[in-house]
Amino acid sequence: MVEANASDPYWSRKPGTWEITDRQDPVCWGDGAGPLSKAQWEFFERNGYVIWPSLFSSGEVRDLLAAAHESASRADPKRNEDVITEPDSQVIRSVFRVHRTNAAFSRLAADARLAGVARQILGSEVYIHQSRINFKPGFDGREFYWHSDFETWHIEDGMPRMRALSASILLTENTAFNGPLMLVPGSHKRYVRCMGETPDEHYKQSLKAQAYGVPGREAMTRLAEEGGIVQAAGPAGSVVFFDCNIMHGSNGNISPLPRHSVFLVFNSVENRLAIPYGGKPPRPDFLAERDPDPVSSARLPL
Ligand code: 6CS
Ligand code: FE
């Protein structure tokens, strides 16, 4: 049984209890200097995300998409824990830790267009906490249920504060029809304590379909009433930057057109992982970097 630790502002997963409370951390930690304009920065602060259309060229997207397919073709879900298949088939859903296994994604992780924004918002040097490709092929791609990444990263990985963000690089066009990311603007300023005790080795289930660390229907309804829901549609090469605590999810893809994206999670070097707050053993490294490589946080010109 998880004891709610009164000294932890972000305790969660106590059986039978849920609550919407307030964020205790700033959203933007820096002084504002960096690649985002003042308007983009303020938009991120207020809404918890910002979309940068066509930040990557079509040539770059072509190379990244080829690298993504290469990673998938090398991936063996039966042997490699960092390759996740859909709950109901052997179709590949995610390949994790790609910035360590594929040169194209290592370069991407150090690209100043992404790392520069992360430094600007997080107000410090940064490192890659998690990387992954999410494949959502036409017809077969399944949904991601509503969640805040931070709730899981805090409880299961030991991320202390809300000082991380994701960059999702769209590798195919995202339309209303192929299961784009959906976000609840403003929800990053709230914190939903989720119900239910985390099962052992929860990640083996949650990466296919998450059932713990997700908001109940009443909580989700309230958040959507407060902030509405937006979809992050855009051409391939666009980047969605989103706060670690924004409530988000995506629908399945019954359209014939694939929706593939690569996600890089940047964490502040001042927010390195501690012992997981949920009291279970930490998740494996492919999900949560405990020993950041200084190279991936090397100083780069903005
Ligand atoms: O468990 C995790 O760390 C993650 N799962 C989801 C559904 N989103 C973020 C992250 O990859
Ligand atoms: Fe997520």
Side-chain angles (χ1 to χ4, degrees), residues 132 147 149 242 248:
R132 67 186 188 281
H147 64 282
D149 296 329
F242 59 101
H248 63 283

Side-chain angles (χ1 to χ4, degrees), residues 132 144-145 147-149 153 166 181 210 242 246 248-249 263:
R132 67 186 188 281
F144 286 79
Y145 192 67
H147 64 282
S148 144
D149 296 329
W153 296 341
S166 293
L181 190 65
Q210 191 173 351
F242 59 101
I246 193 169
H248 63 283
F263 289 74

Side-chain angles (χ1 to χ4, degrees), residues 5-300:
N5 182 349
S7 68
D8 174 12
Y10 299 128
W11 62 264
S12 184
R13 311 218 193 162
K14 214 175 108 176
T17 314
W18 70 274
E19 183 189 11
I20 302 179
T21 180
D22 287 326
R23 179 187 184 112
Q24 302 292 317
D25 293 305
V27 177
C28 293
W29 293 69
D31 59 10
L36 293 179
S37 68
K38 188 156 183 283
Q40 287 172 310
W41 159 274
E42 283 171 0
F43 186 93
F44 186 96
E45 202 288 327
R46 191 167 60 252
N47 295 294
Y49 73 97
V50 67
I51 303 172
W52 194 317
S54 305
L55 184 56
F56 286 79
S57 71
S58 48
E60 288 174 311
V61 170
R62 197 177 45 237
D63 293 348
L64 289 169
L65 195 55
H69 287 309
E70 184 197 309
S71 288
S73 67
R74 272 195 273 129
D76 179 354
K78 293 211 172 58
R79 294 167 60 124
N80 306 118
E81 234 197 352
D82 50 8
V83 181
I84 312 297
T85 54
E86 295 291 0
D88 51 358
S89 73
Q90 283 305 300
V91 171
I92 293 180
R93 174 174 173 88
S94 304
V95 180
F96 280 86
R97 225 186 185 210
V98 286
H99 71 296
R100 300 272 200 181
T101 57
N102 188 311
F105 297 117
S106 311
R107 281 196 299 277
L108 187 68
D111 193 298
R113 285 169 288 184
L114 305 176
V117 169
R119 281 192 209 100
Q120 180 180 10
I121 289 174
L122 304 177
S124 69
E125 267 310 320
V126 295
Y127 69 90
I128 300 293
H129 165 71
Q130 182 189 86
S131 70
R132 67 186 188 281
I133 307 165
N134 280 352
F135 294 95
K136 204 182 264 189
F139 302 110
D140 288 323
R142 298 285 179 264
E143 75 277 10
F144 286 79
Y145 192 67
W146 297 108
H147 64 282
S148 144
D149 296 329
F150 177 79
E151 195 272 353
T152 293
W153 296 341
H154 185 70
I155 296 300
E156 300 193 24
D157 299 330
M159 183 180 284
R161 313 298 309 196
M162 294 181 183
R163 196 173 179 180
L165 61 80
S166 293
S168 168
I169 300 93
L170 312 188
L171 300 181
T172 60
E173 186 184 12
N174 276 228
T175 68
F177 310 110
N178 63 358
L181 190 65
M182 298 187 290
L183 303 142
V184 180
S187 59
H188 64 308
K189 295 194 177 177
R190 311 289 265 148
Y191 179 67
V192 182
R193 303 191 198 284
C194 301
M195 237 171 2
E197 211 177 331
T198 318
D200 290 341
E201 301 200 316
H202 178 225
Y203 68 93
K204 292 192 173 163
Q205 179 54 42
S206 69
L207 301 175
K208 292 172 179 283
Q210 191 173 351
Y212 296 87
V214 296
R217 291 183 177 191
E218 200 179 325
M220 184 58 211
T221 303
R222 263 196 238 167
L223 290 181
E225 278 167 2
E226 283 175 18
I229 298 174
V230 296
Q231 62 176 12
S238 303
V239 178
V240 188
F241 294 98
F242 59 101
D243 179 82
C244 61
N245 184 49
I246 193 169
M247 193 57 73
H248 63 283
S250 64
N251 282 317
N253 183 12
I254 60 168
S255 91
L257 299 174
R259 181 268 188 179
H260 304 319
S261 8
V262 49
F263 289 74
L264 294 169
V265 181
F266 294 92
N267 190 23
S268 165
V269 293
E270 290 163 29
N271 195 34
R272 286 187 49 175
L273 301 187
I275 297 166
Y277 293 80
K280 301 249 172 187
R283 302 194 299 172
D285 275 7
F286 75 84
L287 287 172
E289 183 63 67
R290 308 198 77 83
D291 184 20
D293 177 357
V295 176
S296 64
S297 62
R299 269 160 216 290
L300 294 158

